[in-house]
């Protein structure tokens, strides 16, 4: 029949068979993210409409206290608050009931993993600000024009746009090194500010190691090993890793690993040095990010006091 539209929803687009997503099948994807602070404010206002809300209720404060809450959590929050108010014989829902409900919703068993704690929020702010600052200070890195600490999907904690790992055009060694340094800057920022690191950099480290391996094994960019292609064991076929036969000696394999290690290590050190030197900018950016949760290009420029001219 004509004019029939089929829609599906999933929390795990990453595990869908690609054939399902080809044109003519499910060919449009609409990503619905967890709401940011401004959006939470609007959702709260929506659910409070028609309810007896007391004077002095500050929706802005409630929105700020609920990072990680989705629409259903916010609706739940308002309902819980009505129940609390009713139980106490009040005819209006006050700030006290609403704030108490936040804790109730956070304490709900299945919500625990999703809702962000204050300290987590701070760590993620510094992590993402590290990427953002270093990415914008390095001459060959992809400029970062948007940064957020609101989780997207299942893997990443926050996200920093735009860090394409595999470019469609030719990349020079300088560009790859700057990209690597930017990738590692999240962890470097955590180390610099909190004097310890979290698990938040897992995906960054994976990407960075992958990139360094490609540089050494596929692009011949290691000075020590020279312009040779060694095969990086990273080809994926139908979702399965095809382990390539190693066609080089144990000694060479050792040198490859050492070179990868050296590249990652020196880029990490560079990220750390840049952040140390610009610590004031990092703190300003992270504070702004923690407060607003999402920053666009102008807001990033304002926080770090520099124009992102190479955009
Ligand atoms: Zn990161």
């Amino acid at each position: 029949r004509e004019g029939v539209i089929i829609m599906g929803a999933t929390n795990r687009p990453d595990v869908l068979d690609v054939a399902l997503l080809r044109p003519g099948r499910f060919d449009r994807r609409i990503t619905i993210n967890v709401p940011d602070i401004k959006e939470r404010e609007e959702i709260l206002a929506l659910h409070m409409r028609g309810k007896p809300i007391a004077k002095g209720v500050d929706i802005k404060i409630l929105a700020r206290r609920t990072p990680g809450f989705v629409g259903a959590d916010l609706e739940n929050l308002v309902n819980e608050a009505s129940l609390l108010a009713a139980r106490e014989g009040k005819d209006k829902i006050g700030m006290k009931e609403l704030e108490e409900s936040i804790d109730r919703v956070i304490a709900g068993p299945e919500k625990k993993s999703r809702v962000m704690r204050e300290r987590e929020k701070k760590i993620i702010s510094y992590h993402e600000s590290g990427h953002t600052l270093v990415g914008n200070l390095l001459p060959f890195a992809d400029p970062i024009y948007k940064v957020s600490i609101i989780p997207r999907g299942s893997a990443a904690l926050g996200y920093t746009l735009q860090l394409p790992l595999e470019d469609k055009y030719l990349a020079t060694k300088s560009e790859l090194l700057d990209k690597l340094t930017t990738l590692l800057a999240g962890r470097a920022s955590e180390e610099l500010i909190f004097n310890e690191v979290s698990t938040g950099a897992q995906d960054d480290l994976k990407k960075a190691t992958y990139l360094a391996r490609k540089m050494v094994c596929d692009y011949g960019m290691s000075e020590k090993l020279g312009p040779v292609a060694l095969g990086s064991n990273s080809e994926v076929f139908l979702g399965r890793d095809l382990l390539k036969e190693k066609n080089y000696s144990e000694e060479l394999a050792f040198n490859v690993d050492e070179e990868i290690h050296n590249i990652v290590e020196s880029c990490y050190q560079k990220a750390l040095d840049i952040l140390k030197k610009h610590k004031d900018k990092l703190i300003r950016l992270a504070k702004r990010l923690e407060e607003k949760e999402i920053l666009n290009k102008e807001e990033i420029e304002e926080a770090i006091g520099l124009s992102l001219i190479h955009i």
Side-chain angles (χ1 to χ4, degrees):
R1 286 203 188 159
E2 298 269 315
V4 177
I5 295 169
I6 299 177
M7 289 167 64
T10 179
N11 276 331
R12 294 295 308 275
D14 51 318
V15 297
L16 293 181
D17 188 332
V18 285
L20 200 63
L21 305 171
R22 275 185 201 128
R25 298 167 191 173
F26 286 106
D27 51 356
R28 295 281 157 78
R29 283 217 228 174
I30 302 166
T31 310
I32 300 178
N33 291 313
V34 176
D36 63 30
I37 191 164
K38 192 86 197 53
E39 290 159 347
R40 289 200 301 276
E41 202 180 310
E42 287 166 20
I43 293 170
L44 277 169
L46 189 82
H47 289 299
M48 285 182 182
R49 202 176 292 159
K51 289 210 164 63
I53 303 293
K55 268 193 189 132
V57 165
D58 192 336
I59 300 186
K60 277 193 165 61
I61 290 177
L62 296 170
R64 197 180 310 146
R65 282 207 51 201
T66 48
F69 277 47
V70 297
D73 294 326
L74 296 167
E75 186 179 8
N76 192 11
L77 189 163
V78 179
N79 288 338
E80 283 277 347
S82 328
L83 289 173
L84 278 174
R87 203 171 298 155
E88 285 165 33
K90 293 182 178 170
D91 55 359
K92 291 250 192 313
I93 306 168
M95 201 61 181
K96 183 178 158 281
E97 287 81 39
L98 286 159
E99 296 214 280
E100 203 180 318
S101 300
I102 294 176
D103 301 328
R104 289 185 176 224
V105 175
I106 290 175
E110 71 279 8
K111 307 286 158 49
K112 239 177 193 158
S113 56
R114 208 166 3 97
V115 173
M116 232 187 262
R117 306 248 176 253
E118 294 283 312
R119 168 146 178 97
E120 252 179 28
K121 195 176 170 187
K122 191 169 181 174
I123 293 174
I124 298 169
S125 298
Y126 273 98
H127 179 106
E128 297 303 327
S129 296
H131 288 308
T132 308
L133 186 57
V134 169
N136 287 326
L137 288 173
L138 287 173
F140 300 108
D142 295 304
I144 289 154
Y145 54 85
K146 190 179 176 190
V147 54
S148 162
I149 55 168
I150 294 301
R152 263 163 74 104
S154 51
L157 285 171
Y159 68 103
T160 309
L161 286 178
Q162 170 77 4
L163 294 170
L165 187 59
E166 217 79 76
D167 293 312
K168 301 279 173 280
Y169 51 85
L170 284 174
T172 64
K173 189 176 173 182
S174 311
E175 283 166 346
L176 292 177
L177 286 173
D178 279 4
K179 184 174 292 189
L180 249 169
T181 308
T182 306
L183 270 169
L184 295 163
R187 186 186 168 98
S189 175
E190 288 182 42
E191 191 190 322
L192 179 67
I193 301 296
F194 304 102
N195 227 339
E196 68 168 346
V197 291
S198 73
T199 52
Q202 186 190 359
D203 194 49
D204 297 336
L205 297 181
K206 214 161 96 186
K207 283 183 187 160
T209 312
Y210 170 83
L211 193 56
R213 182 169 287 278
K214 293 276 274 187
M215 288 175 73
V216 173
C217 297
D218 292 344
Y219 308 146
M221 286 176 179
S222 152
E223 265 153 44
K224 194 171 167 192
L225 300 173
V228 283
L230 299 163
S232 58
N233 289 352
S234 59
E235 281 185 15
V236 174
F237 177 70
L238 281 178
R240 242 164 310 197
D241 283 319
L242 268 191
L243 279 178
K244 273 199 200 163
E245 226 176 282
K246 238 196 304 176
N247 53 2
Y248 46 91
S249 69
E250 285 302 318
E251 193 199 339
L252 188 53
F254 177 81
N255 286 333
V256 166
D257 288 342
E258 203 180 47
E259 269 300 273
I260 292 167
H261 182 86
N262 287 343
I263 289 176
V264 172
E265 197 60 48
S266 76
C267 286
Y268 183 76
Q269 201 50 53
K270 188 171 177 189
L272 204 54
D273 291 344
I274 292 172
L275 292 173
K276 262 184 208 153
K277 198 174 152 203
H278 298 277
K279 200 171 168 185
D280 55 325
K281 287 190 173 75
L282 177 68
I283 292 170
R284 202 157 54 227
L285 189 63
K287 286 211 165 118
R288 194 75 53 88
L289 183 58
E290 194 182 347
E291 176 193 327
K292 293 204 68 185
E293 297 181 2
I294 183 159
L295 299 178
N296 61 26
K297 179 174 167 278
E298 288 74 30
E299 290 164 323
I300 295 171
E301 283 180 348
E302 203 198 298
I304 64 184
L306 143 142
S307 177
L308 312 181
I309 33 162
H310 53 311
I311 285 181

